[in-house]
Amino acid sequence: TPEFLYKYSKSPSLKNLICVTNNQADHLRHNPIFSKIIVLHNFIDLNFYKPDGVVKDINQVVYLGAITENKGLQFLLAAWPQVLSANPQAKLIIIGSAKLYSNNETLGIHGLGSQDFETKYIYPIYGEDKNALSNYNIYPKGVLGPIEIQKYLTKSLVGVVNPSYNYSFSAETFCVSAIEIQACRTAIIGGNVGGLRETIIDKKTGYRINSEKDMEKRINYLLSNADKAKEMGEKGADYAKEFDVKKIVEDWELFFLNNETPKKLKTNKLF
């Protein structure tokens, strides 16, 4: 809260506050705590991701994230019928569940989101028949382990993370899922807000979208231009190296040893 941030800014016991992206830090630029902020990115272990030799399914789109309103899946579901109309062979794999953060959540008929989520966002478009989603080439996979997730990410031509395009819904502070998708050489799409402005390089590793229509347009373009999607995937894999655990641990070591921000993190030459 602003009250606690102000207290932290004045406290001699708190020397630094870590933010995981420059975008997150920028939201505190006009707060006294900003003078104590240091940016150190989240990381992944690139040794886990092995996209070599995998043949892309040029019709496959994958969504990765919790099935909650603040993760924006409703925007993708709203756009999907139009995507399918333009690309009839397209299929959407949904990895995640409303149970990702709470096993006590009661799911709706489709076993995807909570009863409230499905009533508000799924039934009006797809209906309540249990086979309704498969009729639109939508295949929910629920909560999966990391090996299964990697297989779907690597096989897909396009990956989607939180497509929320304004701050009315939750914006990502970083979005590790975006880096995971890019590490799998998969073109990425996400909302043009929050940490995704830093973890997705727009028009290079994928697209940051500004509306449902924009998302529909970008997905259709990539599905119709598989070579371009693969090119973006290659650039994404290169970009993911910026967030490899070995590199970020070195930044943390530098911080702890010298108690200062690594100068290379103050600006990112890739933007």
Side-chain angles (χ1 to χ4, degrees), residues 164-191:
S164 299
Y165 45 83
N166 60 51
Y167 285 98
S168 297
F169 295 89
S170 176
E172 301 291 330
T173 54
F174 182 86
C175 193
V176 170
S177 294
I179 303 302
E180 291 176 319
I181 288 172
Q182 290 171 100
C184 292
R185 292 182 184 161
T186 300
I188 180 83
I189 289 177

Side-chain angles (χ1 to χ4, degrees), residues 72-132:
L73 176 63
Q74 64 271 19
F75 301 120
L76 176 57
L77 291 173
W80 186 254
Q82 289 71 45
V83 171
L84 194 62
S85 177
N87 290 276
Q89 301 304 312
K91 52 188 172 184
L92 174 60
I93 305 296
I94 298 178
I95 302 174
S97 168
K99 287 182 174 288
L100 185 61
Y101 299 123
S102 175
N103 276 325
N104 296 322
E105 186 69 68
T106 300
L107 301 182
I109 292 171
H110 299 298
L112 189 59
S114 68
Q115 182 64 54
D116 288 344
F117 181 91
E118 293 199 4
T119 298
K120 187 174 181 180
Y121 295 114
I122 299 181
Y123 303 159
I125 300 173
Y126 299 99
E128 299 182 41
D129 186 276
K130 289 186 177 181
N131 297 318

Side-chain angles (χ1 to χ4, degrees), residues 219-243:
I219 294 176
N220 278 331
Y221 173 76
L222 292 174
L223 288 172
S224 300
N225 296 271
D227 287 344
K228 180 63 175 179
K230 292 175 183 178
E231 178 187 329
M232 286 183 158
E234 291 290 342
K235 291 178 179 177
D238 285 339
Y239 185 49
K241 295 174 184 176
E242 293 290 314
F243 306 97

Side-chain angles (χ1 to χ4, degrees), residues 11-68:
S11 172
S13 300
L14 181 73
K15 186 162 187 179
N16 295 113
L17 178 68
I18 305 298
C19 287
V20 294
T21 56
N22 292 294
N23 182 276
Q24 184 185 32
D26 282 343
H27 283 280
L28 299 172
R29 186 171 291 277
H30 301 295
N31 189 294
I33 194 66
F34 187 75
S35 63
K36 293 186 175 184
I37 284 178
I38 286 175
V39 175
L40 289 164
H41 292 123
N42 286 328
F43 57 82
I44 64 172
D45 184 356
L46 284 179
N47 287 326
F48 178 75
Y49 300 90
K50 306 294 183 183
D52 291 344
V54 176
V55 178
K56 292 286 187 185
D57 183 337
I58 62 172
N59 295 307
Q60 186 163 296
V61 178
V62 60
Y63 167 88
L64 180 61
I67 314 304
T68 55

